[in-house]
Amino acid sequence: MKKFITLTPLKKIITLKKLIQVCAIFFSAVFADAMDLPSAEAKLIENFGSNAAGEPLLGDVWAVEGPVFASDDGELIFRRNTEDDASGVPSTLGTWLVIDHADGILSIYGRMQEDSRPLQNNIEKADVIGFAGNSGWSKKEGFNFTIFDRKERRWVNPSLVIKPASDSRPPSVQYVALRNADGREVDLSINRSIRQGRWKIIVQAVDTQIAYSDNLAPAKIISSVNGSEAGSIAFETFSSRDGVLMMYRNGLVPVSQIYGPHPAVEAGEAWFNRGLAQLEIIVEDIVGNARRLQYRIFVE
């Protein structure tokens, strides 16, 4: 059985702000502890929201060898091997399959080994659905794991629907800078003096839950100037609007406004008046560990 996925339109009109605010609560309430990781032995090397040369990753990338298990009960609605001739299917996924869970939630498993074994349409949690491989755009054994909500037409951070691993370490902040309209960038670890005007706030931060990866996106970045919020990024969902990939930063904005070819993201924007200004950066991981940095800036 081979089926292509068609996305269904929104069935309810929900205000944007309310939709984003309840997103984490909704998924936690409905799916918390319902889904399992597809492999208990796998190592997370890149996660939802990680910067992939200017584009955010829409799922998690795991390194492992061996079987991959269904994260929850559901119905197998699609499977494709790399040898299949299917026009328009993303080649980056290699061999991949899709399981439909309740309420339009899909789990997608990519980069698997070629597999000709028949699978039942009805899948139970922990069923072996294939084996980790290196099909698609990958040189390492492993698999991609993505969750898509086709009711709301958005990709969902898997950490919102799967209980995260125990973690007591706050994220790490490697770089904080200000960039003006002329493209001048001031590294705040070197220089704390700027001219009056509007500046973009640039932050490079990673989740430090795992020592062997330096490309794990945090869950949230909040920036404020003199106590007023200048930007709040939530790495919770990505949505497609008229072919443009969007994410939340004080409202839905194109990811191109946040991601660039560099590891840092544009976390906010603020006007700096002459005198002393205080910039605060708060970075949180998925379990609530936070790193807080403050900078006193002299504005000429």
Side-chain angles (χ1 to χ4, degrees):
M1 176 195 64
K2 299 264 172 73
K3 293 183 181 179
F4 288 97
I5 302 168
T6 57
L7 305 183
T8 57
L10 288 169
K11 294 184 179 179
K12 295 182 179 179
I13 299 175
I14 306 174
T15 64
L16 174 61
K17 185 175 182 180
K18 184 65 174 178
L19 175 64
I20 297 298
Q21 289 176 339
V22 304
C23 178
I25 298 174
F26 170 80
F27 281 107
S28 297
V30 177
F31 296 103
D33 300 326
M35 285 188 172
D36 290 341
L37 287 175
S39 170
E41 306 299 323
K43 296 180 178 180
L44 182 64
I45 57 177
E46 293 180 284
N47 67 340
F48 187 90
S50 295
N51 193 333
E55 294 287 340
L57 287 181
L58 303 179
D60 291 344
V61 179
W62 297 85
V64 72
E65 296 181 4
V68 177
F69 304 93
S71 60
D72 199 6
D73 300 341
E75 178 187 2
L76 178 68
I77 63 170
F78 182 91
R79 184 170 76 174
R80 177 186 182 260
N81 288 331
T82 52
E83 63 186 13
D84 296 338
D85 182 16
S87 176
V89 175
S91 61
T92 56
L93 289 178
T95 294
W96 61 296
L97 56 87
V98 182
I99 297 175
D100 190 345
H101 307 285
D103 298 319
I105 300 299
L106 307 178
S107 60
I108 305 168
Y109 310 77
R111 295 175 43 228
M112 310 273 280
Q113 286 185 19
E114 295 281 352
D115 195 347
S116 60
R117 297 173 310 137
L119 284 174
Q120 298 292 327
N121 287 353
N122 293 325
I123 302 293
E124 295 185 2
K125 179 189 289 191
D127 280 352
V128 176
I129 56 175
F131 292 85
N134 59 2
S135 60
W137 290 5
S138 174
K139 295 181 180 179
K140 295 182 179 180
E141 293 287 326
F143 64 93
N144 290 1
F145 180 57
T146 305
I147 295 177
F148 186 74
D149 178 358
R150 61 177 177 179
K151 272 181 155 183
E152 308 295 350
R153 299 179 296 174
R154 60 190 177 190
W155 289 265
V156 179
N157 189 335
S159 295
L160 293 177
V161 298
I162 294 176
K163 185 177 181 180
S166 177
D167 179 17
S168 61
R169 291 182 294 179
S172 172
V173 179
Q174 287 94 4
Y175 182 69
V176 177
L178 298 175
R179 183 189 299 147
N180 66 10
D182 296 328
R184 182 193 173 211
E185 192 160 298
V186 177
D187 182 346
L188 294 182
S189 67
I190 300 172
N191 184 6
R192 304 283 178 90
S193 179
I194 63 172
R195 290 188 177 275
Q196 176 178 273
R198 182 164 291 279
W199 292 80
K200 295 178 179 179
I201 302 166
I202 311 300
V203 179
Q204 180 183 347
V206 297
D207 189 352
T208 58
Q209 64 170 294
I210 303 172
Y212 46 76
S213 179
D214 59 359
N215 192 29
L216 296 182
K220 185 181 294 185
I221 301 176
I222 304 169
S223 59
S224 61
V225 176
N226 297 331
S228 297
E229 187 175 289
S232 178
I233 299 177
F235 298 87
E236 295 177 346
T237 63
F238 293 106
S239 303
S240 182
R241 296 291 182 268
D242 299 322
V244 177
L245 191 62
M246 313 282 284
M247 71 177 298
Y248 184 76
R249 188 190 64 190
N250 303 93
L252 279 183
V253 298
V255 298
S256 59
Q257 293 184 18
I258 296 176
Y259 286 81
H262 42 74
V265 297
E266 185 181 310
E269 187 174 6
W271 179 273
F272 287 79
N273 290 314
R274 288 187 177 92
L276 287 177
Q278 181 160 298
L279 170 66
E280 182 177 61
I281 304 295
I282 301 174
V283 183
E284 296 181 0
D285 64 18
I286 197 67
V287 298
N289 298 314
R291 176 80 65 184
R292 186 187 303 262
L293 300 177
Q294 293 183 337
Y295 300 88
R296 293 189 67 191
I297 301 168
F298 177 69
V299 185
E300 300 176 7

